[in-house]
Each structure stands twice: as structure tokens, then as C-alpha cells.
Amino acid sequence: MTTTPAPKSTGRVPQRIFVNAAVITVDPARPRAEALAVTDGRITAVGDDAEIRALAGPATDVVDLGGRTVLPGFVEAHGHPSVSMTTDGPDVVDIRPMTCPTARSVIERIEETVAAAEPGVPLAFVGWDTLLQEGLQEPTRAWLDALAPANPVAILQNSAHMSWGNSLAIEAIGLTRDTPDPAGCHFERDATGEPTGKAVEAPASLIMMGAPLSPPTARVPELLAHEHRLLASRGLTTCGDLGLKGDMRDVCARFARSPLARVRVRAYEMSNGELHTDAEPGQGDAMFRQIGIKMWADGSPWIGNIATSFPYLSNDRTAALGLGPGHRGCANYTPEQARAIAEAYLPRGWQLACHIHGDVAVDMMLDVFEKVLAEHGRPDHRTRFEHCGTMTREQYRRAAELGITCSLFVDHIYYWGDVLVESLFGERAHDWANARAALDAGIRISFHNDAPVTPVEPLRNIQVAVTRRTRSGARVLGPQNRVTLSEAIRAQTLDAAWQLQSEHEVGSIEVGKHADLVVLSDDPYTVDPDAIGDIDVLATYLDGRATFTA
């Protein structure tokens, strides 16, 4: 017979108690519980069912969860809610592979949208993917002009690292031969210097998308409210916004203080431009706080511009991407440019988050941060590497020595795993987003979906990290690189909160923390690992109040 530890409690009469539950706390001191109590949005007790019921007073609201599983609210360490509010909104047409699985379905949706549109109305399509929607070719300005002669039309590649626009779209954003390229990205130009309509890397790729992705300030609360409802329905209670535009800060902060806000946001401003922000690190509150700066060391594997020491494979699919034999991508910055960004922000107390995929880019940024941290470092800087596609075990070890933490895009394995092996990188793909190597090096990690690149699906992230099985079910990428279920859950809760400098307030079910919870239809520890992503989110709570119920 095991002895049940006494409940943690503040001794206060709770306003609400959650009872009759299987509580996975992600608190090492008490991994499991049956109930918890909440007062003023904070957890005031965690314990066994009878013990928590005994704390209730006459006015306490009792929520009986019928034996369902409760976890801390999921934390998306790397999202883009101020962008995905538009890509998920009514002004943008979703053509992602998850929605339009074939090339034919993509073209049909675009043609139908154009045919139904009033002349002059800008049209935006998000999700073009020549790898998963086999048969698509890169859109050209001439093709888009013929397709929509009366409307500005722009298409965002599924990675958001590239976009294409027709002549009216180019005109609508005011792009000319004299327009300067933003730092770290560019607008493609022909031999005469005129824009071709192709934009590479953010923010150029987002600028090309025009008005649908740049809504007027008055519409932002409506769009954010829709996005928060979506995030809450997936069990999210805290989300990083990695790439906030400075002119969006105030409206996003105001929305976070409104009753419509359902998710806490930790914002990272874009590093492009004058290497300056008028914000201060940590400004804000528990609902919206600006904590970091985002930079992009290289691009996307799906368009061929990640900086690797090895070439892409040569085949029909890479040819469709426009990649010739032996193609290798390159970094967005020189080492000097990357160091200038780091030195502009890190000494001022900002956390830096660096998008990075290729092993060559990883080496460059490790060298940069080693020098900058030696001169300007501080304890607990939590510098972040994002995505980490081809990062090697040795590079993870070096990152750990520098105090760099990693957020991995494991959902790539689910959707693109077969393509990674068969068409892009061969056997090297088996080490893609190697969470096991990061943990073995001593790094605290998180998982993310980088919406809108893949749907927000934290449970699928946990499944993929544990199984490393692709969507087809036919392939497991590097079974030796699997992580345990407990490690995966921490990466989607407490350790993700730690990366967002919020582990003191969210990420586990402990006394004193915000009562941010997700209720699941099944216990992840009792289902087939390959079915974890199919568990239903039944309810989500923020500060103990329901933000979503199924």
C-alpha cells in the first residue's frame, strides 16, 4: 500500500475546485493528483479527491471532471498569432496540404476564388507546397496575371519563407525597382531590375501578401479573438509570438487585457530594420509580455535555402523547387551581420531567438553567440535556437555549453518525414529535429507548430516526438532519437514555459501558479503512442475559467 502525500495548499477556502480527475501535474514533487483548488485564478491546493473536497466552502464551485485527464495548459513556445490571425481569418484562403492535398485541388480552389471575387479585391492564398502537393510548379508573375487580371493576387508558400504576387499585387504594395530589400530577405528582380513578384524570407514574403495580411488596426481585435478561440480549442493557454511587428505591439497588448483574450502571449519582436526597439525587456503583464527578439539565420528546407554542409538530392521533386544538381542553401546573414544583431540586443537584456535549420548556419551562430556571450553574456540568458532541422549531436553539446536552449519542430517529421528521406536528404533525414540528442546534451527543449506552417496540435507534437512516425505510417525516422512520453509532455508544458521565461507562473499544476488547465478525453500514458495526437481536447481553462468546452 502506497502512502499518498498530503495536498499542497495555501489554506484558503477555494472559489472553485476541480475533482474526480486524473491530474498529470508535471510537478516532480507530486507527478499525479486527483483534484485541485483555485482562488482568484491561482492554484491554491493540489491533492487527492477527498482532501480537496474537504477544502470547499458553501460558495465553492465544484467542477466534477468525471475521471477525465487534466494537464497543465499546453504552451506553444514558437507561434505567430499576430500573423496566423490573418492566415486563419476570413480574408485568406487556406490551400495548405492539410486542406488541399493535391495539386489539382489547389488550382481549383484558387480558380474558384478568383472567379467569385469582385474586381479590385485583393486575394491571398496560404500554403502552396510543391513537395506535398506533387505536380505544382513555382508560380510566376505571368501565370498569376493571366489567372487574375482584375485582382491583386498573392500566394504564400507553406513555410512562409517565400511568396509570389501578380502585377497588381506588386503595384498594391508599392514595390518598385528602387525599393530597398529589408535586412536578411529580398524581393527578386529580373535582369532589368524590375520586381518579378517573388519575395524570399520574412518580412519580404509577408509584405508581398499585401492587405489581407496587413489588416487595419481597427480589425485586429476581431481577428485576434478568432485566433484565440482556435488556440484555446487546441488546449493552448500560453503562446510565443515569434516575429511580432513593432507597430502591432500596442494593439496586441490592449487586446490581451480584454475579456476576449484566451491565451497568454510572450512576444519576440522582429530583428529586421534599424536594430532597435523602443520596448524594454519584460514589459507587460501575465497576459502579454515582450521578452525577446527574433532573427533568421537561414530559411526553409521546403524551398531549398537552409545552409547545409551537404547537398540536396537531385530528383523530380527538387527540380520542381528549382534546385539544380548539388544544390546547397546559404545563410541569410554574414557572420558580421549576425553578430551586429546579437550585439544590438543581447547586452540590453533581450532574449534572442534564432531561426536555424542547416548545420552550416548552426556552426555560424554558435561561433557568433560564443563571442557575443563572452563579451556581453549574463546568467540565465536563455538564448534560443528554433526548429533545428539538421543540428548534430556535437552541435547540441556545444549549444548546451553556451547555455543555448532549443525549440524543435518535430511536426515536420509527421508531415514531411517521407519527403525528407526520399527526396531531400536521404539517410541524413533520420536525425531531423533530434530531440533525443538535445536532451542527452542537457538542453531543456520545447516543441512547436510554427503556425500557420502546420496546424496547432500539441498532442500530435507529443506523439511524433515519442514515435517519430510519419503521417503515412510507413516510416519511423531514427527510432534511436525518440524521447519518453514524460519528456515530451514537459517539452509541451513546463520546459516550453521556461523558454518563454514564464515557468514561475505557468507550465505545471502547482500551488501559486495560474490555474491554466487542459482536460483531455484520454490519458496519454494509457493509449497507443500512435494515437496520442487523436486524443480530444474537452476543455481549456485560463485562470480557472473556461476558455473552451467541446
Side-chain angles (χ1 to χ4, degrees), residues 183 244-246 249 268-282 290-296 333 337-354 368-369 372-373 376-378 381 383 501:
L244 180 75
K245 293 188 290 184
R249 180 196 313 133
Y268 295 68
E269 194 168 322
M270 289 184 180
S271 62
N272 305 80
E274 299 177 355
L275 301 184
H276 170 74
T277 175
D278 56 5
E280 292 297 326
Q290 190 160 345
I291 61 173
I293 302 294
K294 172 76 177 298
M295 57 192 298
W296 286 262
Y333 313 121
Q337 290 170 328
R339 181 165 181 171
I341 294 172
E343 289 182 332
Y345 295 108
L346 196 141
R348 295 173 52 197
W350 286 106
Q351 180 189 24
L352 287 171
C354 183
V368 166
F369 282 124
V372 175
L373 289 168
H376 306 289
R378 59 187 187 275
H381 54 86
T383 300
Q501 303 181 22

Side-chain angles (χ1 to χ4, degrees), residues 161-175:
H161 285 260
M162 185 178 290
S163 62
W164 305 269
N166 67 358
S167 296
L168 291 176
I170 294 170
E171 180 182 340
I173 65 170
L175 178 62

Side-chain angles (χ1 to χ4, degrees), residues 437-451:
L439 289 168
D440 289 347
I443 295 173
R444 293 179 75 167
I445 65 170
S446 69
F447 302 140
H448 61 260
N449 291 111
D450 198 22

Side-chain angles (χ1 to χ4, degrees), residues 262-533:
R262 303 186 183 204
V263 178
R264 306 182 195 281
V265 173
R266 301 295 177 261
Y268 295 68
E269 194 168 322
M270 289 184 180
S271 62
N272 305 80
E274 299 177 355
L275 301 184
H276 170 74
T277 175
D278 56 5
E280 292 297 326
Q283 75 176 47
D285 54 27
M287 285 302 296
F288 182 91
R289 190 177 302 140
Q290 190 160 345
I291 61 173
I293 302 294
K294 172 76 177 298
M295 57 192 298
W296 286 262
D298 61 356
S300 165
W302 323 131
I303 62 175
N305 65 341
I306 66 172
T308 57
S309 62
F310 48 88
Y312 279 72
L313 300 179
S314 295
N315 49 57
D316 290 345
R317 277 181 162 164
T318 51
L321 294 175
L323 311 183
H327 173 85
R328 302 183 193 192
C330 62
N332 291 334
Y333 313 121
T334 65
E336 294 74 23
Q337 290 170 328
R339 181 165 181 171
I341 294 172
E343 289 182 332
Y345 295 108
L346 196 141
R348 295 173 52 197
W350 286 106
Q351 180 189 24
L352 287 171
C354 183
H355 167 114
I356 203 160
H357 266 304
D359 60 328
V360 169
V362 173
D363 275 337
M364 179 185 76
M365 293 311 303
L366 286 170
D367 290 344
V368 166
F369 282 124
E370 183 175 25
K371 294 173 183 175
V372 175
L373 289 168
E375 296 180 18
H376 306 289
R378 59 187 187 275
D380 203 24
H381 54 86
R382 305 192 196 185
T383 300
R384 294 174 50 171
F385 279 177
E386 310 298 307
H387 311 323
C388 310
T390 68
M391 196 164 169
T392 67
R393 284 187 171 268
E394 178 55 37
Q395 289 173 331
Y396 282 116
R397 284 192 287 270
R398 190 177 169 199
E401 291 172 357
L402 294 172
I404 293 171
T405 182
C406 297
S407 186
L408 294 102
F409 200 161
V410 291
D411 219 15
H412 274 173
I413 295 167
Y414 184 70
Y415 289 105
W416 286 273
D418 293 320
V419 170
L420 279 166
V421 174
E422 296 167 4
S423 303
L424 299 186
F425 300 119
E427 290 303 307
R428 292 181 183 272
H430 286 279
D431 290 330
W432 193 265
N434 195 338
R436 178 77 270 151
L439 289 168
D440 289 347
I443 295 173
R444 293 179 75 167
I445 65 170
S446 69
F447 302 140
H448 61 260
N449 291 111
D450 198 22
V453 179
T454 63
V456 176
E457 45 187 10
L459 285 161
R460 184 77 63 202
N461 290 342
I462 292 169
Q463 170 188 311
V464 175
V466 170
T467 68
R468 293 186 66 88
R469 190 179 303 279
T470 65
R471 191 181 190 183
S472 70
R475 179 178 280 111
V476 172
L477 263 62
Q480 72 278 9
N481 297 326
R482 293 166 171 154
V483 305
T484 69
L485 179 54
S486 294
E487 289 169 334
I489 288 175
R490 280 185 65 98
Q492 200 68 65
T493 55
L494 184 57
D495 287 348
W498 177 85
Q499 285 187 344
L500 296 178
Q501 303 181 22
S502 298
E503 78 282 5
H504 62 288
E505 55 194 346
V506 299
S508 61
I509 297 175
E510 298 182 65
V511 169
K513 290 192 175 183
H514 291 284
D516 296 356
L517 315 168
V518 59
V519 181
L520 304 179
S521 61
D522 296 280
D523 186 332
Y525 286 91
T526 64
V527 303
D528 186 317
D530 284 310
I532 292 173

Side-chain angles (χ1 to χ4, degrees), residues 102-104 106-107 127-131 133-138 320:
T102 66
R104 184 66 253 164
V106 171
I107 301 303
W128 188 279
D129 192 320
T130 59
L131 290 169
Q133 295 155 329
E134 197 168 0
L136 289 181
Q137 300 294 320
E138 184 172 305

Side-chain angles (χ1 to χ4, degrees), residues 14 22 28 50 53 69 80 123 130 186 203 233 300 320 381 405 491 505 548:
R53 288 181 187 271
T69 299
H80 299 280
L123 304 176
T130 59
H186 68 276
S233 74
S300 165
H381 54 86
T405 182
E505 55 194 346
F548 168 76

